[in-house]
Amino acid sequence: SQQGEEDPQALSIQEGENATMNCSYKTSINNLQWYRQNSGRGLVHLILIRSNEREKHSGRLRVTLDTSKKSSSLLITASRAADTASYFCATDALASGTYKYIFGTGTRLKVLA
Amino acid sequence: KAGVTQTPRYLIKTRGQQVTLSCSPISGHRSVSWYQQTPGQGLQFLFEYFSETQRNKGNFPGRFSGRQFSNSRSEMNVSTLELGDSALYLCASSFTEYSEAFFGQGTRLTVV
């Protein structure tokens, strides 16, 4: 089963609006990463937030982490058409004594011009 | 510095054949992970290598294998290809397992 589950699965907004995506996970983590993927191409790393951090910013991106609820959110402010992409969260999961990243199912964001 | 490079970008193979995909990580990164992405299953972890050792393996059949060389470059091999192996194969490198993982553009494999 997926470690991370994004919500909603799809989101359509107007340019200039804010977009919020959520990610829930099941087990304890060391960190959580958010990625963007355009049209089945490679994933672009957006932000890494560690388990002892609650909020992190990068440009128009704001990520929060609530370890008590095992959830994270990604906020994109003042969205642009170029933000149209799929967004994934990835959480590290302990396996065989070392960590590997497990990805959620993704949120497909469409920003309408 | 150069990003993660995957070759080839596109491949078409016939059922029953075998294929080798290559991944060159970012300079200095010793951890390389492989993922399979399909519309139905999403991003599935295949395996992870660190300093030439496979540290983790996902739930894939033995037809999927990989290795890492002393220069951290990695290859994955799929033998006896099946139609269901058609997917985008992504490679990611990171300095350690706790740091940001950076992805290549992927290799799109089509099995006919």
Side-chain angles (χ1 to χ4, degrees), chain B residues 44-82:
Chain B
Q44 301 286 319
F45 172 79
L46 279 158
F47 26 66
E48 187 244 352
Y49 287 87
F50 187 88
S51 294
E52 301 179 68
T53 300
Q54 184 183 89
R55 295 195 301 185
N56 277 299
K57 191 176 193 302
N59 296 323
F60 279 81
R63 300 185 297 107
F64 291 80
S65 63
R67 58 179 176 168
Q68 186 180 35
F69 302 95
S70 58
N71 61 358
S72 292
R73 189 177 70 85
S74 177
E75 289 180 346
M76 68 162 281
N77 184 277
V78 187
S79 62
T80 320
L81 284 166
E82 300 177 358

Side-chain angles (χ1 to χ4, degrees), chain A residues 2 30-31 33 35 37 40-43 45 48 50 88 92 95-96 98-101 103, chain B residues 35 37 41 43-45 55-58 88 90 97-105 108:
Chain A
Q2 296 284 357
N30 285 306
N31 61 60
Q33 303 188 56
Y35 289 85
Q37 185 180 38
R41 299 176 66 183
L43 278 74
H45 184 268
L48 179 150
R50 303 197 185 280
F88 296 88
D92 60 347
S96 305
T98 59
Y99 285 86
K100 62 179 182 181
Y101 280 99
F103 283 79
Chain B
Y35 293 83
Q37 186 178 31
Q41 298 297 317
L43 275 153
Q44 301 286 319
F45 172 79
R55 295 195 301 185
N56 277 299
K57 191 176 193 302
L88 180 67
L90 293 160
E97 62 266 45
Y98 303 114
S99 52
E100 293 91 336
F102 295 92
F103 282 79
Q105 288 297 302
R108 184 163 296 281

